[in-house]
Short mmCIF file of all heavy atoms in Angstrom, two decimals:
data_model
loop_
_atom_site.label_atom_id
_atom_site.label_comp_id
_atom_site.label_asym_id
_atom_site.label_seq_id
_atom_site.Cartn_x
_atom_site.Cartn_y
_atom_site.Cartn_z
N ARG C 6 1.24 -5.18 -7.16
CA ARG C 6 1.00 -6.33 -6.29
C ARG C 6 1.25 -5.95 -4.83
O ARG C 6 0.50 -6.33 -3.94
CB ARG C 6 1.90 -7.50 -6.72
CG ARG C 6 1.50 -8.83 -6.20
CD ARG C 6 2.26 -10.02 -6.80
NE ARG C 6 3.37 -9.74 -7.69
CZ ARG C 6 3.29 -9.74 -9.04
NH1 ARG C 6 2.15 -9.98 -9.64
NH2 ARG C 6 4.35 -9.51 -9.77
N ARG C 7 2.30 -5.18 -4.58
CA ARG C 7 2.61 -4.76 -3.22
C ARG C 7 1.50 -3.86 -2.67
O ARG C 7 1.11 -3.98 -1.51
CB ARG C 7 3.96 -4.03 -3.18
CG ARG C 7 4.37 -3.60 -1.79
CD ARG C 7 4.56 -4.80 -0.87
NE ARG C 7 4.79 -4.34 0.49
CZ ARG C 7 4.27 -4.89 1.57
NH1 ARG C 7 3.55 -5.98 1.47
NH2 ARG C 7 4.50 -4.41 2.76
N VAL C 8 0.95 -2.97 -3.50
CA VAL C 8 -0.15 -2.12 -3.06
C VAL C 8 -1.35 -2.98 -2.67
O VAL C 8 -1.98 -2.74 -1.64
CB VAL C 8 -0.54 -1.09 -4.15
CG1 VAL C 8 -1.84 -0.38 -3.82
CG2 VAL C 8 0.58 -0.07 -4.34
N TRP C 9 -1.65 -4.00 -3.46
CA TRP C 9 -2.76 -4.90 -3.12
C TRP C 9 -2.50 -5.62 -1.81
O TRP C 9 -3.40 -5.77 -0.98
CB TRP C 9 -2.99 -5.92 -4.23
CG TRP C 9 -3.47 -5.32 -5.53
CD1 TRP C 9 -4.23 -4.20 -5.68
CD2 TRP C 9 -3.21 -5.80 -6.84
NE1 TRP C 9 -4.45 -3.96 -7.01
CE2 TRP C 9 -3.84 -4.93 -7.75
CE3 TRP C 9 -2.51 -6.89 -7.34
CZ2 TRP C 9 -3.79 -5.12 -9.12
CZ3 TRP C 9 -2.46 -7.07 -8.71
CH2 TRP C 9 -3.10 -6.20 -9.59
N GLU C 10 -1.25 -6.07 -1.62
CA GLU C 10 -0.90 -6.76 -0.38
C GLU C 10 -1.05 -5.82 0.82
O GLU C 10 -1.57 -6.22 1.87
CB GLU C 10 0.54 -7.27 -0.44
CG GLU C 10 0.75 -8.42 -1.39
CD GLU C 10 2.22 -8.73 -1.64
OE1 GLU C 10 3.10 -8.02 -1.10
OE2 GLU C 10 2.49 -9.68 -2.39
N ILE C 11 -0.61 -4.59 0.65
CA ILE C 11 -0.72 -3.59 1.72
C ILE C 11 -2.18 -3.34 2.04
O ILE C 11 -2.57 -3.30 3.22
CB ILE C 11 0.00 -2.29 1.31
CG1 ILE C 11 1.52 -2.51 1.31
CG2 ILE C 11 -0.38 -1.13 2.24
CD1 ILE C 11 2.30 -1.38 0.65
N ASP C 12 -2.99 -3.17 1.01
CA ASP C 12 -4.43 -2.93 1.22
C ASP C 12 -5.06 -4.08 2.00
O ASP C 12 -5.88 -3.86 2.90
CB ASP C 12 -5.16 -2.74 -0.11
CG ASP C 12 -4.86 -1.39 -0.76
OD1 ASP C 12 -4.35 -0.49 -0.07
OD2 ASP C 12 -5.15 -1.26 -1.97
N GLU C 13 -4.67 -5.32 1.67
CA GLU C 13 -5.21 -6.48 2.38
C GLU C 13 -4.75 -6.51 3.83
O GLU C 13 -5.53 -6.80 4.73
CB GLU C 13 -4.82 -7.77 1.67
CG GLU C 13 -5.36 -9.02 2.34
CD GLU C 13 -6.87 -9.05 2.53
OE1 GLU C 13 -7.60 -8.48 1.70
OE2 GLU C 13 -7.32 -9.64 3.52
N GLN C 14 -3.49 -6.20 4.06
CA GLN C 14 -2.97 -6.16 5.43
C GLN C 14 -3.70 -5.11 6.26
O GLN C 14 -4.06 -5.35 7.42
CB GLN C 14 -1.48 -5.87 5.44
CG GLN C 14 -0.63 -7.04 4.96
CD GLN C 14 0.84 -6.70 4.96
OE1 GLN C 14 1.33 -5.96 5.81
NE2 GLN C 14 1.56 -7.22 3.99
N ILE C 15 -3.92 -3.94 5.67
CA ILE C 15 -4.65 -2.88 6.37
C ILE C 15 -6.06 -3.34 6.68
O ILE C 15 -6.57 -3.15 7.79
CB ILE C 15 -4.65 -1.58 5.54
CG1 ILE C 15 -3.24 -0.97 5.50
CG2 ILE C 15 -5.64 -0.56 6.12
CD1 ILE C 15 -3.07 0.18 4.53
N ALA C 16 -6.73 -3.96 5.70
CA ALA C 16 -8.09 -4.45 5.91
C ALA C 16 -8.13 -5.46 7.06
O ALA C 16 -9.03 -5.41 7.90
CB ALA C 16 -8.63 -5.08 4.63
N GLN C 17 -7.15 -6.34 7.12
CA GLN C 17 -7.08 -7.32 8.21
C GLN C 17 -6.91 -6.62 9.56
O GLN C 17 -7.55 -6.98 10.55
CB GLN C 17 -5.95 -8.31 7.98
CG GLN C 17 -6.22 -9.29 6.88
CD GLN C 17 -5.04 -10.20 6.60
OE1 GLN C 17 -4.01 -10.13 7.25
NE2 GLN C 17 -5.20 -11.05 5.59
N LEU C 18 -6.03 -5.64 9.60
CA LEU C 18 -5.79 -4.91 10.85
C LEU C 18 -7.02 -4.13 11.29
O LEU C 18 -7.29 -4.00 12.49
CB LEU C 18 -4.59 -3.97 10.70
CG LEU C 18 -3.23 -4.66 10.60
CD1 LEU C 18 -2.16 -3.66 10.16
CD2 LEU C 18 -2.85 -5.30 11.92
N LEU C 19 -7.80 -3.64 10.32
CA LEU C 19 -8.99 -2.87 10.66
C LEU C 19 -10.13 -3.76 11.16
O LEU C 19 -11.07 -3.26 11.77
CB LEU C 19 -9.45 -2.04 9.45
CG LEU C 19 -8.54 -0.87 9.09
CD1 LEU C 19 -9.00 -0.22 7.79
CD2 LEU C 19 -8.48 0.15 10.22
N ARG C 20 -10.03 -5.06 10.92
CA ARG C 20 -11.05 -5.98 11.42
C ARG C 20 -10.93 -6.21 12.93
O ARG C 20 -11.85 -6.71 13.56
CB ARG C 20 -10.97 -7.32 10.69
CG ARG C 20 -11.45 -7.23 9.26
CD ARG C 20 -11.46 -8.60 8.58
NE ARG C 20 -11.47 -8.40 7.15
CZ ARG C 20 -10.48 -8.73 6.31
NH1 ARG C 20 -9.39 -9.33 6.77
NH2 ARG C 20 -10.58 -8.50 5.03
#
Side-chain angles (χ1 to χ4, degrees):
R6 197 171 6 263
R7 182 63 187 139
V8 169
W9 293 330
E10 290 169 358
I11 289 168
D12 287 344
E13 180 56 32
Q14 288 179 35
I15 290 170
Q17 288 176 2
L18 290 168
L19 289 174
R20 288 185 200 113

